[in-house]
Amino acid sequence: MADSGTLDALIDALRRLPGVGPKSASRMAYHLLQHDRAGARLLARSLEQAAASVRHCERCNTFTQAPLCAICADPRRDSGKLCVVETPADQAALERTGAFQGQYFVLMGKLSPLDGIGPKQIGLERLFERAQDGAVREVIIATNFTAEGEATAHVIAQALRERGLTVTRLARGVPAGSELEYVDLGTIAHALIDRH
Amino acid sequence: MADSGTLDALIDALRRLPGVGPKSASRMAYHLLQHDRAGARLLARSLEQAAASVRHCERCNTFTQAPLCAICADPRRDSGKLCVVETPADQAALERTGAFQGQYFVLMGKLSPLDGIGPKQIGLERLFERAQDGAVREVIIATNFTAEGEATAHVIAQALRERGLTVTRLARGVPAGSELEYVDLGTIAHALIDRH
């Protein structure tokens, strides 16, 4: 136990990270101070710089340093297709497939009424404006297949269809490479319903 | 996916934390930037300050900002009893029991020959000097009850007994294979009382 206000302050600050409790925070602090002070300083600088310079893309809402992110600024992307995702991590997963050449809108969240997160909190109005730019022909909703992601998809789809847009949803089905025996029943049922 | 070198640098820097892989690092970065920039700045400042000002206690080797930590500087602590622990977290667990009024030596590690960590790397010579200050009547070894902690205890006990010191070990009330930091306080207290 250290008599160190500075060390305690560091442990408290590390607990601001999602998924980090008091013991993990202590471990992280001890590790950095004992074995990796260069890493601690690097992390400090990176946090400062990111907090100061990372903002949201004016078109798609993802994180970027320029007014427009690289994808929105890329003229080769198909502006007729707009894919709606919850987070930059989901967007990155889609990009890694190489199967989508359109543009994105990143919600940076999902509807969660129990937590007080409604359409206003995740800025759905901005999405509706973005989708009605005249170029978008199809909105592909790629929110997660969780209860909250599905509810978010439902609300978005309804609102965009009312505005006369074509709305699709990522197919639900059996994951590639998996054996039916080990897939949960709900997934198999959806794959049966969505068969093509 | 952001076109942000700054964001990627932050994710890389977060991976310097122990137990944080690429997905957790991304989640942490997105969370701080989306919901808690104040937390990001606070963490940056805390890291800078700790990296600059936290050092090792001259007597017990734990983290401190002063030359001596609060426990070593406290005249009410019994200088006849010296408890050897692996980490400040283990020391904190012992302190929370309130069952020990002596002083500590914090190894900041354990012997691990397979990783090239021998007696020199964890500074056992400093412990041997500390234990031979003339005041210490008993050295209580409270390294973890893991294979490496037991080996460390064995090496320390042998060396200190050769130097004519009384050496005891926490009683085996502590479940074998577990780490002190995660053991309940009552068990640790009993193990202290039953030391042999």
Side-chain angles (χ1 to χ4, degrees), chain B residues 54-110:
Chain B
V54 173
R55 50 177 164 167
H56 292 278
C57 173
E58 287 169 11
R59 276 171 72 82
C60 79
N61 199 35
T62 196
F63 290 124
T64 175
Q65 284 177 277
L68 285 187
C69 73
I71 292 174
C72 286
D74 183 348
R76 291 165 301 181
R77 306 290 301 214
D78 179 356
S79 62
K81 290 192 175 118
L82 184 69
C83 182
V84 179
V85 294
E86 290 179 21
T87 67
D90 296 336
Q91 184 188 17
L94 279 162
E95 280 297 290
R96 280 196 297 273
T97 70
F100 181 67
Q101 296 303 318
Q103 299 184 329
Y104 291 93
F105 190 89
V106 183
L107 295 171
M108 294 288 182
K110 53 186 174 280

Side-chain angles (χ1 to χ4, degrees), chain A residues 72-152:
Chain A
C72 285
D74 183 346
R76 290 165 301 180
R77 306 290 301 213
D78 179 357
S79 61
K81 290 194 174 115
L82 184 69
C83 182
V84 179
V85 293
E86 290 179 19
T87 67
D90 298 335
Q91 184 187 16
L94 278 162
E95 280 296 290
R96 279 196 297 274
T97 68
F100 181 66
Q101 296 304 317
Q103 300 184 329
Y104 291 92
F105 189 89
V106 183
L107 294 170
M108 294 290 181
K110 53 186 175 279
L111 293 180
S112 182
L114 292 179
D115 303 318
I117 300 173
K120 266 187 196 162
Q121 279 69 35
I122 61 169
L124 286 190
E125 280 306 322
R126 274 194 62 202
L127 165 61
F128 300 155
E129 262 177 53
R130 170 70 184 86
Q132 290 174 290
D133 71 345
V136 173
R137 295 182 311 276
E138 178 187 358
V139 178
I140 301 156
I141 303 184
T143 55
N144 287 319
F145 288 83
T146 57
E148 289 166 342
E150 294 276 28
T152 308

